[in-house]
Amino acid sequence: MKFGILVNEGPYNHQASDSAYRFAKAAIDKGHEIYRVFFYYDGVLNATKHSEPPSDDRNVIKNWQKLAEDHKVDLVVCVAAGFRRGIVEDSLAPGFRISGLGQLIEAGIQADRMVTFGD
Amino acid sequence: MGEDMEEEYEGGIVKKFMFVNRKAPYGTIYALEVLEMVLISAAFDQDVHIAFLDDGIYQIKKGQDTKELGMKNFSPTYRALEGYDIEKLFVERESLEERGLTEDDLLVPVEVISRAEMGALMAGMDVVLTA
């Protein structure tokens, strides 16, 4: 199955991003495809390259980055939501790209299932 | 990308989208950013539905004045949705009643349906996006 994923909350503050990551990884391990992960609202903060969590904690941003590297998952950050929150092209960790909300709607059209992670 | 997308939409996939509003208009940014999603969806010629329930119904309450909050009153945008051919607006009756509101308190024409009907409507959607 082809999944689209929407992440609505920022890293560490909320579990949504962790859950979305684990869902995506489990789906890929089972042979499914992740069409796109779209980061919206505070979810755009998952794309920052400036995050440095304590070394004994998981690294949420690096997890996503590795998923993109290993499985070519398309990680898209909403431009409007990002600009509001100081996430611009220069802030992005490798593996993420900035684009418009149209990418979310398009994922909804193309994916078999759209799954939202947030409150 | 732009070209690919155009081709796909000319391919004519039309899905039933529903945007679900559950939160009050101010206090958090969710309502405003859901509205931004709704507006973008209009460009994709999809079958768009908007649902208002819980405190989300305050988003379309008449007479919003945000001057003292220092925030932009974006409620007039809901009235502009008609111009984007987005006219399927649903409000949950129980949410209205729980807040002592009626259809007359709302600034756009809506269809008021019961909680059970709302559930059935959602179940029939292809894509449900919420915040």
Side-chain angles (χ1 to χ4, degrees):
Chain A
M1 190 176 269
K2 233 191 310 183
F3 287 101
I5 294 178
L6 172 62
V7 179
N8 284 353
E9 300 292 339
Y12 304 104
N13 193 60
H14 200 290
Q15 202 184 330
S17 180
D18 295 275
S19 301
Y21 165 74
R22 294 167 73 96
F23 176 90
K25 210 168 173 311
I28 290 167
D29 289 346
K30 289 262 181 195
H32 299 291
E33 184 194 337
I34 303 298
Y35 181 77
R36 178 170 298 143
V37 183
F38 193 85
F39 296 89
Y40 196 39
Y41 310 98
D42 275 1
V44 298
L45 298 170
N46 286 289
T48 178
K49 69 178 179 192
H50 301 295
S51 166
E52 280 181 41
S55 55
D56 58 352
D57 197 357
R58 84 270 187 227
N59 190 319
V60 175
I61 284 82
K62 284 242 160 64
N63 280 346
W64 283 117
Q65 221 174 294
K66 190 154 190 318
L67 199 71
E69 265 169 39
D70 294 350
H71 305 285
K72 305 245 182 307
V73 175
D74 190 19
L75 306 178
V76 180
V77 180
C78 173
V79 62
F83 275 29
R84 270 195 183 105
R85 293 164 175 87
I87 299 293
V88 296
E89 201 71 49
D90 282 351
S91 340
L92 297 184
F96 292 87
R97 66 185 180 94
I98 285 199
S99 191
L101 265 173
Q103 297 277 294
L104 169 63
I105 306 299
E106 198 243 359
I109 295 169
Q110 296 301 330
D112 300 311
R113 287 279 168 84
M114 192 75 211
V115 188
T116 301
F117 292 86
D119 259 340
Chain B
M1 188 73 220
E3 267 184 44
D4 286 348
M5 277 170 51
E6 221 175 278
E7 256 176 45
E8 278 154 16
Y9 302 123
E10 280 168 8
I13 306 172
V14 178
K15 285 194 174 180
K16 289 185 178 180
F17 273 75
M18 178 180 263
F19 298 94
V20 183
N21 289 296
R22 294 180 296 125
K23 293 192 168 75
Y26 312 102
T28 67
I29 200 170
Y30 295 105
L32 176 64
E33 290 195 329
V34 168
L35 191 54
E36 290 181 356
M37 274 201 286
V38 170
L39 292 170
I40 295 290
S41 76
F44 287 76
D45 294 327
Q46 300 296 299
D47 185 11
V48 174
H49 305 67
I50 310 180
F52 297 91
L53 46 138
D54 302 338
D55 280 348
I57 60 174
Y58 288 121
Q59 294 176 24
I60 48 171
K61 193 181 169 300
K62 279 179 189 161
Q64 296 180 30
D65 181 356
T66 59
K67 240 176 273 155
E68 298 292 322
L69 285 176
M71 288 194 195
K72 185 179 162 192
N73 176 359
F74 56 90
S75 65
T77 311
Y78 295 102
R79 299 169 77 156
L81 291 176
E82 215 186 338
Y84 293 88
D85 289 327
I86 296 174
E87 292 167 326
K88 295 178 182 173
L89 277 59
F90 298 88
V91 169
E92 189 186 79
R93 179 173 298 115
E94 287 85 342
S95 296
L96 274 179
E97 286 169 356
E98 283 159 11
R99 288 161 185 79
L101 298 173
T102 70
E103 213 176 322
D104 292 338
D105 295 309
L106 306 178
L107 50 78
V108 279
V110 298
E111 193 175 329
V112 178
I113 60 176
S114 71
R115 191 160 282 169
E117 287 167 330
M118 185 66 88
L121 186 67
M122 280 182 190
M125 294 288 133
D126 296 311
V127 181
V128 178
L129 294 170
T130 185

